[in-house]
């Protein structure tokens, strides 16, 4: 079980992840709709897993948030529709796992892959 | 990018204009060359004419110097007696005198010492006096000459020239005297009158100068007898230019005179340069106009091409953006729908009935959103192709609005309807449902959960009016102006969408002949208002409709 922070600018996606991760046995600490709030909540709540969308509207995007909050003990999962080489390179340089939206099994694995 | 191509366009247009101007310049150079050549030809012609004149005069006067006529008494054919007032000499001189076409040439005999012994037209007291004229000593030394102009005349108070020939004993013996033919130099002299016929223009002037530069005869009578103008005293023969004048100088070697011609440059070249200059000016103006026209025509052509290029690029960008947005927007609810269903299946046993129902509701909401989005996309294509069918009938907007609200399951917002109880209009009920659904959806997306959304129906003149207001962040004036454009999307962080909903609303309301606009709500948020022509209460009621029905519509619930 992991302590998870979920960030997405689409409420429907947040609802889904909150429900599913909870049922998967994780603790969803909080949710955020934008990057700035995600950074703040990361500092405050110290989650073990950050599930974050790439595109978050105005402000920081998911990988920029990852660049700011990354630290040992925090796994970051980029949950996005936009997977391309550039995104994968940026993600790899930040030790961020990329999961394509719609693949719920992959997301569950990424969140649960706790040593 | 745009400025670079603008600069390139301007460069191309400028180059074309430069080519035109260069061509024009070459034409100008050609014309100027032609003018120079023409001027040279004119000079040569004038000089040749003067040389011809000089030859004629030289040819006419020259033989007079070598003539034997008058070197002996023409009546007696004996040598002149050269005795003072000798009667036979006087008779012969009178005969010579009368053979002249003019009575203004006098004949004078001098003896070997230069003393006058006889003559015609003589001034009183001339006989016995010594002739005081430069050049006479040369004649008495044996050389015939034209004596320069002098006031010391024997025959007239006027200045004269004199053709003087030595008289030799027995024809070729020693010089015993001389015969002088004095002709006056005057404005009305025979010679001057002859010259008058040469003039062809206003400023041309023909003159003959003796060895001392005194004008012997001229088309300008005031100069006769005086020293010639400096420009005619130019020592070299040929064509010359002196400021505003041209001159042609020709030497008459036999008699030692000079023939001179002068004219103002402008008049001399007038016939040549006038038409050439006009042609030049016209050509230059034409070239400049041509260059300018070329420049602007090319520039506008190129700019139009750039604009068209930019327009096509913009269309292409919009299409690509549309595909990108639509694919993302369709994918999101599809993902949500699948996700909730998978969660439900995977955790069916973990969920109680309420949570199962809630999960199904979430899946349903996503499916509904997917449906609405796909309809927006398809409708946009239909609207733009002009293929969206309308079936008009009487619709109650109040009922339609209630229906649109009811169609939203478990809304996150407080949806309130207010205003008149019944508001009949003539409209396509399905399309009006779509408009109301899109406006509600837009309001919900643009305002936080739990806030209130008002739908207010009222009457404004002949119009039925519907206002949908949210309590969101609202929009700037600029954004309000663009909100009905295709792909216009709000800036609110959680706002997603294709940017097609309000665009479709506008297209539908336009097709109904109504108006739709957006404004800032008093107290924050946004109000979208649309109006449709109201149907009078009398026309309402039967529910049937006899209007054109391209495709069957369904009545409002």
């Amino acid at each position: 079980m992991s302590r998870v922070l979920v960030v997405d600018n689409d409420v429907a996606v947040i609802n889904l992840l909150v429900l599913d991760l909870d049922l998967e046995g994780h603790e969803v600490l909080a949710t955020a709709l934008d990057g700035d709030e995600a950074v703040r909540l990361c500092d405050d709540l110290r989650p073990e897993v950050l599930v974050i969308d790439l595109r978050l509207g105005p402000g920081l995007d998911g990988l920029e948030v990852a660049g700011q909050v990354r630290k040992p003990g925090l796994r970051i999962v980029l949950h996005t529709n936009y997977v391309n080489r550039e995104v994968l390179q940026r993600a790899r340089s930040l030790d961020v796992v990329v999961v394509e939206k719609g693949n719920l099994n992959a997301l569950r694995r990424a969140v649960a892959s706790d040593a | 990018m745009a400025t670079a191509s603008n600069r390139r366009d301007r460069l191309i247009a400028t180059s074309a204009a430069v080519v035109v101007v260069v061509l024009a310049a070459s034409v100008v150079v050609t014309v100027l060359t032609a003018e120079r050549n023409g001027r040279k030809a004119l000079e040569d012609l004038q000089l040749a004419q003067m040389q011809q004149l000089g030859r004629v005069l030289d040819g006419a006067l020259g033989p007079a110097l070598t003539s034997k006529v008058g070197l002996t008494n023409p009546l007696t054919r004996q040598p002149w007696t050269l005795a003072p007032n000798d009667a036979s000499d006087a008779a012969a001189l009178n005969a010579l005198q009368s053979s002249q076409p003019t009575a203004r040439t006098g004949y004078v005999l001098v003896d070997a010492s230069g003393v006058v012994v006889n003559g015609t037209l003589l001034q009183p007291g001339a006989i016995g006096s010594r002739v005081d004229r430069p050049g006479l000593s040369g004649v008495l030394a044996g050389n015939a000459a034209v004596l320069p102009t002098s006031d010391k005349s024997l025959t007239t108070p006027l200045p004269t020239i004199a053709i003087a020939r030595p008289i030799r004993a027995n024809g070729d013996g020693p010089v015993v005297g001389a015969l002088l033919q004095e002709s006056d130099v005057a404005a009305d002299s025979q010679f001057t009158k002859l010259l008058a016929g040469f003039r062809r223009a206003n400023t041309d002037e023909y003159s003959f100068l003796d060895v001392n530069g005194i004008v012997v005869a001229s088309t300008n009578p005031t100069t006769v007898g005086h020293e010639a103008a400096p420009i005619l005293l130019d020592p070299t023969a040929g064509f010359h230019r002196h400021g505003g004048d041209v001159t042609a100088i020709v030497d008459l070697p036999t008699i030692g005179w000079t023939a001179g011609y002068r004219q103002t440059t402008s008049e001399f070249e007038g016939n040549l340069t006038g038409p050439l200059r006009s042609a030049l000016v016209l050509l230059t103006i034409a070239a400049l106009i041509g260059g300018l026209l070329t420049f602007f025509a090319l520039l506008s052509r190129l700019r139009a091409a750039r604009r068209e290029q930019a327009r096509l690029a913009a269309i292409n960008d919009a299409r690509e953006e549309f595909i990108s947005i639509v694919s993302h927007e369709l994918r999101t609810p599809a993902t949500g729908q699948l996700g909730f269903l998978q969660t439900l299946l995977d955790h069916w046993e973990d969920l109680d009935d309420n949570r199962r129902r809630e999960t199904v509701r979430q899946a349903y909401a996503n499916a509904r959103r997917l449906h609405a989005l796909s309809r927006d996309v398809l409708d946009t294509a239909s609207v733009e192709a002009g293929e969206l069918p309308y079936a008009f009938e009487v619709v109650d907007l109040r009922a339609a609005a209630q229906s649109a609200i009811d169609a939203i399951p478990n809304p996150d917002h407080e949806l309130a309807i207010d205003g008149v109880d019944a508001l009949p209009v003539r409209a396509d009920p399905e399309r009006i449902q779509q408009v109301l659904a899109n406006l509600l959806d837009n309001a919900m997306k643009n305002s936080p959960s739990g806030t209130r959304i008002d739908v207010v129906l009222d009457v404004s003149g002949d119009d039925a009016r519907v206002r949908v207001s949210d309590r969101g962040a609202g929009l700037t004036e600029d954004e309000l102006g663009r909100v009905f454009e295709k792909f216009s999307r709000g800036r609110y962080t959680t706002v997603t969408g294709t940017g097609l909903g309000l665009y479709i609303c506008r297209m539908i309301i336009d097709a109904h002949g109504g108006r739709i606009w957006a404004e800032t709500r008093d107290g924050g948020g946004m109000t979208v208002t649309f109006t449709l022509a109201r149907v009078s209460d009398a026309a309402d009621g039967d529910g049937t409709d006899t209007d054109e029905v391209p495709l069957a519509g369904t009545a409002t619930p």
Side-chain angles (χ1 to χ4, degrees):
Chain A
M1 119 149 198
S2 303
R3 300 166 70 244
V4 186
L5 176 64
V6 173
V7 185
D8 200 300
N9 67 333
D10 190 331
V11 178
V13 174
I14 286 182
N15 290 342
L16 170 63
L17 297 190
V18 167
L19 175 65
D20 192 76
L21 294 177
D22 180 51
L23 290 168
E24 289 290 313
H26 303 291
E27 184 188 354
V28 177
L29 298 173
T31 63
L33 290 166
D34 62 69
D36 297 327
E37 196 184 355
V39 172
R40 195 173 54 75
L41 288 174
C42 264
D43 289 345
D44 289 354
L45 304 175
R46 304 181 175 279
E48 293 163 301
V49 182
L50 169 64
V51 177
I52 189 165
D53 193 4
L54 177 61
R55 296 203 178 175
L56 295 169
L60 300 173
D61 74 15
L63 285 171
E64 287 165 349
V65 172
Q68 289 196 17
V69 304
R70 63 192 290 252
K71 61 179 179 183
L74 172 63
R75 275 179 293 119
I76 303 175
V77 178
L78 190 71
H79 184 230
T80 179
N81 276 327
Y82 301 95
V83 179
N84 57 35
R85 186 183 301 174
E86 189 221 334
V87 169
L88 288 173
Q89 276 177 357
R90 284 175 67 197
R92 192 176 304 129
S93 71
L94 295 166
D95 290 326
V96 169
V97 177
V98 178
V99 170
E100 202 170 355
K101 271 188 181 174
N103 191 342
L104 201 54
N105 288 331
L107 181 72
R108 286 171 182 171
R109 277 199 301 275
V111 174
S113 70
D114 197 2
Chain B
M1 180 69 187
T3 51
S5 46
N6 280 348
R7 210 174 303 132
R8 196 160 59 237
D9 291 352
R10 209 171 296 131
L11 196 65
I12 291 170
T14 307
S15 311
V18 165
V19 168
V20 171
V21 168
V22 166
L23 284 174
S26 69
V27 169
V28 168
V29 168
T30 307
V31 170
L32 286 176
T33 307
E35 188 182 308
R36 198 174 59 235
N37 292 343
R39 193 180 288 140
K40 184 78 176 71
L42 209 58
E43 292 172 1
D44 291 348
L45 188 69
Q46 186 64 40
L47 195 58
Q49 195 183 12
M50 287 303 290
Q51 282 161 347
Q52 178 75 16
L53 180 66
R55 268 196 300 278
V56 169
L57 191 73
D58 218 26
L61 286 179
L65 292 175
T66 55
S67 172
K68 300 288 183 197
V69 174
L71 294 185
T72 55
N73 185 320
L75 296 178
T76 62
R77 299 184 185 278
Q78 296 297 311
W80 296 104
T81 66
L82 295 177
N85 285 323
D86 178 82
S88 67
D89 282 1
L93 288 175
N94 280 329
L96 283 172
Q97 162 80 50
S98 60
S99 71
Q100 280 291 321
T102 168
R104 306 265 292 258
T105 298
Y107 287 77
V108 180
L109 285 173
V110 298
D111 63 16
S113 56
V115 174
V116 177
V117 292
N118 219 328
T120 61
L121 305 177
L122 283 175
Q123 298 280 87
I127 302 282
S129 66
R130 182 176 290 274
V131 177
D132 180 20
R133 286 184 81 119
L136 184 63
S137 56
V139 176
L140 292 175
N143 300 313
V146 178
L147 303 182
T149 306
S150 169
D151 294 337
K152 312 253 172 45
S153 300
L154 304 163
T155 56
T156 164
L158 295 170
T160 57
I161 54 153
I163 295 172
R165 288 173 287 161
I167 299 168
R168 292 173 184 274
N170 304 318
D172 56 357
V175 177
V176 292
L179 176 67
L180 276 60
Q181 287 170 255
E182 273 191 354
S183 296
D184 72 272
V185 174
D188 58 346
S189 76
Q190 185 72 5
F191 203 18
T192 300
K193 283 177 183 164
L194 258 173
L195 263 186
F198 278 95
R199 289 197 61 188
R200 273 183 235 104
N202 292 324
T203 65
D204 60 343
E205 189 179 307
Y206 295 82
S207 304
F208 289 97
L209 321 179
D210 70 10
V211 285
N212 293 326
I214 305 299
V215 178
V216 176
S218 174
T219 53
N220 179 3
T222 59
T223 65
V224 174
H226 305 288
E227 186 162 303
I231 61 170
L232 289 178
L233 296 175
D234 191 301
T236 55
F239 197 93
H240 304 280
R241 289 174 180 274
H242 303 269
D245 287 305
V246 295
T247 61
I249 308 292
V250 171
D251 293 329
L252 312 182
T254 315
I255 55 177
W257 286 5
T258 302
Y261 149 86
R262 67 181 285 189
Q263 191 172 10
T264 60
T265 309
S266 59
E267 191 179 56
F268 175 68
E269 296 177 347
N271 289 336
L272 170 75
T273 54
L276 277 174
R277 281 279 155 78
S278 308
L280 198 61
V281 168
L282 286 176
L283 275 170
T284 308
I285 289 171
L288 281 176
I289 290 172
L292 278 175
L293 288 179
T294 308
F295 176 78
F296 285 117
L298 266 175
L299 199 59
S300 83
R301 276 283 177 84
L302 285 165
R303 288 210 168 133
R306 296 283 177 213
R307 270 199 302 276
E308 180 61 14
Q309 198 179 0
R311 197 181 68 83
L312 291 175
I315 287 174
N316 199 44
D317 287 352
R319 187 168 296 153
E320 281 180 8
E321 192 193 356
F322 175 70
I323 289 169
S324 161
I325 289 170
V326 164
S327 57
H328 180 244
E329 289 301 320
L330 291 177
R331 192 168 173 174
T332 303
T335 300
Q337 188 183 341
L338 284 173
F340 281 110
L341 291 175
Q342 188 184 347
T343 300
L344 190 64
L345 285 172
D346 289 353
H347 298 283
W348 184 266
E349 305 302 336
D350 305 328
L351 296 166
D352 60 22
D353 282 354
N354 277 342
R355 293 190 74 188
R356 285 177 193 152
R357 188 177 296 109
E358 172 59 18
T359 308
V360 170
R361 191 194 68 78
Q362 295 267 21
Y364 170 74
N366 277 280
R368 222 180 99 79
R369 191 165 143 201
L370 181 61
H371 173 72
L373 285 172
S374 54
R375 188 168 76 162
D376 279 354
V377 171
L378 292 175
D379 282 355
T380 298
S382 299
V383 159
E384 290 181 349
E387 289 167 355
L388 201 64
Y390 292 94
F392 290 94
E393 46 187 84
V394 174
V395 176
D396 178 12
L397 285 177
R398 171 86 188 210
Q402 190 61 57
S403 170
I405 289 171
D406 292 345
I408 300 167
N410 302 27
D412 292 331
H413 292 72
E414 182 190 342
L415 301 173
I417 188 164
D418 200 1
V420 295
D421 286 340
L423 197 54
V425 295
R426 182 166 296 281
D428 181 318
E430 281 215 50
R431 298 302 168 200
I432 291 304
Q433 271 299 296
Q434 194 176 350
V435 169
L436 289 163
N438 281 355
L439 293 184
L440 287 171
D441 186 47
N442 186 65
M444 289 189 290
K445 281 196 299 192
N446 282 298
S447 58
S449 296
T451 58
R452 178 177 158 132
I453 291 169
D454 288 301
V455 180
V456 179
L457 302 105
D458 63 3
V459 169
S460 170
D462 289 337
D463 287 335
R465 189 165 63 177
V466 179
R467 281 177 288 178
V468 178
S469 306
D470 64 53
R471 285 165 167 76
L475 294 174
T476 64
E477 281 299 311
D478 186 43
E479 288 168 330
L480 284 172
R482 286 189 287 107
V483 80
F484 294 103
E485 289 173 14
K486 191 157 63 165
F487 306 134
S488 171
R489 301 206 290 173
R491 291 191 314 177
Y492 193 62
T493 32
T494 59
V495 169
T496 56
T498 54
L500 293 173
L502 290 182
Y503 170 70
I504 289 169
C505 288
R506 178 167 66 87
M507 299 304 277
I508 291 173
I509 295 298
D510 282 352
H512 280 76
R515 293 200 306 126
I516 186 166
W517 67 93
E519 59 207 337
T520 300
R521 190 188 79 95
D522 289 341
M526 180 169 85
T527 299
V528 178
T529 307
F530 72 85
T531 63
L532 293 172
R534 197 158 53 92
V535 175
S536 67
D537 292 342
D540 185 22
D542 58 0
T544 59
D545 185 55
T546 53
D547 273 10
E548 76 284 8
V549 182
L551 285 175
T554 47
T556 318

